[in-house]
Amino acid sequence: MKVMTSRIPQFIGAGLVGLGLSFGLSGAAQADHHGMKADIVDTAVEAGQFETLVAAVKAANLVETLKGEGPFTVFAPTDEAFAALPEGTVDDLLKPENRDTLTAVLTYHVVPGKVMAEDAMGADSVTTVQGQDISITTMDGQVMVNDATVIQPDIEASNGVIHVIDGVLMPE
């Protein structure tokens, strides 16, 4: 069994919620005037299909963290993935009194370091910023992260990479 591990960064307390994520499926977003790649948060915002994820990142005060130097690998659920959760789940997670739970869910979608799809496919699992492992399997040309399918891999950002997934990962 190959397991990718990384040291869990000391920045977790800064929170991932302030992210404002939305990812473009056409590839990495470009910063306005500089021809440079945008960071993970700005890339997500520009995509327009991660409004729920971005709202959650903001609610968890994780925006500045995810705009940080990184590198980070983010498994980013689409708005449709959040909509598929049981009714009321997202609303409950976004309540101020549930910030710790929300932060745990969001940091379970982040891996320290830049893990491209090809590298991830060679591993059985990776350790998240939240501290638990997520499994990675490949079947019939599809890459699965726990029970979610990667629907768009390798969207590069200035401080890491985003892999779009069709489900929300929930820590144990």
Side-chain angles (χ1 to χ4, degrees):
M1 166 190 261
K2 290 184 184 176
V3 177
M4 297 183 72
T5 58
S6 297
R7 292 183 307 157
I8 296 174
Q10 300 300 315
F11 58 81
I12 295 172
L16 291 176
V17 172
L19 277 185
L21 294 179
S22 84
F23 303 94
L25 294 181
S26 61
Q30 297 294 314
D32 291 74
H33 316 91
H34 310 291
M36 305 271 303
K37 291 180 194 160
D39 62 44
I40 287 174
V41 174
D42 291 339
T43 300
V45 168
E46 289 179 21
Q49 65 176 350
F50 303 100
E51 292 179 16
T52 306
L53 179 60
V54 171
V57 169
K58 289 178 179 179
N61 294 323
L62 294 175
V63 172
E64 290 305 313
T65 298
L66 291 176
K67 284 181 145 302
E69 185 175 327
F72 307 105
T73 299
V74 176
F75 294 98
T78 62
D79 289 335
E80 292 79 18
F82 280 102
L85 291 172
E87 188 172 336
T89 302
V90 173
D91 290 336
D92 284 343
L93 284 171
L94 293 176
K95 292 178 180 175
E97 62 268 23
N98 295 327
R99 182 178 291 175
D100 290 344
T101 302
L102 177 61
T103 299
V105 169
L106 293 173
T107 57
Y108 190 61
H109 288 79
V110 180
V111 174
K114 186 175 181 180
V115 182
M116 302 302 288
E118 184 176 334
D119 299 323
M121 289 170 47
D124 293 324
S125 66
V126 292
T127 302
T128 68
V129 169
Q130 183 264 353
Q132 294 180 22
D133 290 350
I134 51 177
S135 67
I136 299 174
T137 56
T138 305
M139 185 176 5
D140 299 326
Q142 295 286 323
V143 177
M144 303 290 295
V145 181
N146 288 355
D147 293 327
T149 301
V150 175
I151 57 176
Q152 177 69 38
D154 296 342
I155 299 172
E156 293 193 64
S158 63
N159 62 343
V161 62
I162 298 163
H163 303 291
V164 181
I165 57 176
D166 68 355
V168 178
L169 307 175
M170 298 302 258
E172 295 179 15

